[in-house]
Amino acid sequence: QTEQAEPTSSPENIIFSSVEARSLTVSWDEVPPGQNGPITGYLLYYTNTTFSDTINIIGGENRAYTLTELRPYTNYTVTVAAYNDAGTGPTSDNRTQQTEQAEPGVVSNLMSSGSDVDQISITWNQPSIPNGIIIVYEIRYRVSDDSDSFIYVNGTRN
């Protein structure tokens, strides 16, 4: 009997079967038969511009994984490698997917100016974490002696 060696092929057909703002579900086809022994698991590598991690998926029959706690509106690159008792095989081709947009963070540096009874100017800085493309800002205000009703105005930041 010959000694077992690491797999010689990489997983193929990497797909993102679910894409959310803070999660991605990744799946792949099993590696072709004859891989120097049974596949005992997979290593799922994922990165973005500031982060990288590796997930150990135990069991050759497990060919899907949901990455969670991801950043909205961010590109993630994924590769997968099969392993057996002798070692890890080659990695798959890179696949990149952007997570969906989510609600933006809080604006900062909110300031008002003007003392005209009919007009006020408001300025702010966009959120440091926009979580996507901001297309409009909603401004809520109310008359100081009317605590129950807000007036809504849509506006853009100039």
Side-chain angles (χ1 to χ4, degrees), residues 76-129:
Y76 286 88
T77 300
V78 171
T79 59
V80 181
Y83 66 84
N84 61 20
D85 291 339
T88 303
T91 58
S92 65
D93 291 337
N94 290 345
R95 291 293 314 261
T96 300
Q97 178 66 52
Q98 185 176 68
T99 51
E100 294 290 333
Q101 297 186 73
E103 65 283 345
V106 177
V107 298
S108 61
N109 214 18
L110 180 63
M111 309 253 271
S112 64
S113 62
S115 59
D116 191 326
V117 293
D118 295 334
Q119 180 176 314
I120 188 169
S121 277
I122 301 171
T123 61
W124 60 88
N125 292 336
Q126 70 179 16
S128 59
I129 303 173

Side-chain angles (χ1 to χ4, degrees), residues 7-124:
T8 56
S9 293
S10 61
E12 296 180 349
N13 297 322
I14 312 272
I15 63 165
F16 296 94
S17 56
S18 175
V19 177
E20 304 291 332
R22 292 179 171 81
S23 68
L24 294 170
T25 299
V26 185
S27 61
W28 55 91
D29 290 346
E30 62 185 325
V31 293
Q35 292 301 308
N36 300 325
I39 301 300
T40 55
Y42 296 91
L43 294 175
L44 173 63
Y45 306 96
Y46 69 106
T47 64
N48 68 26
T49 57
T50 62
F51 174 84
S52 66
D53 200 3
T54 304
I55 305 295
N56 182 12
I57 302 164
I58 298 172
E61 69 284 350
N62 296 324
R63 293 188 315 277
Y65 190 83
T66 300
L67 300 167
T68 59
E69 298 181 29
L70 303 179
R71 295 179 70 188
Y73 206 62
T74 301
N75 285 324
Y76 286 88
T77 300
V78 171
T79 59
V80 181
Y83 66 84
N84 61 20
D85 291 339
T88 303
T91 58
S92 65
D93 291 337
N94 290 345
R95 291 293 314 261
T96 300
Q97 178 66 52
Q98 185 176 68
T99 51
E100 294 290 333
Q101 297 186 73
E103 65 283 345
V106 177
V107 298
S108 61
N109 214 18
L110 180 63
M111 309 253 271
S112 64
S113 62
S115 59
D116 191 326
V117 293
D118 295 334
Q119 180 176 314
I120 188 169
S121 277
I122 301 171
T123 61
W124 60 88

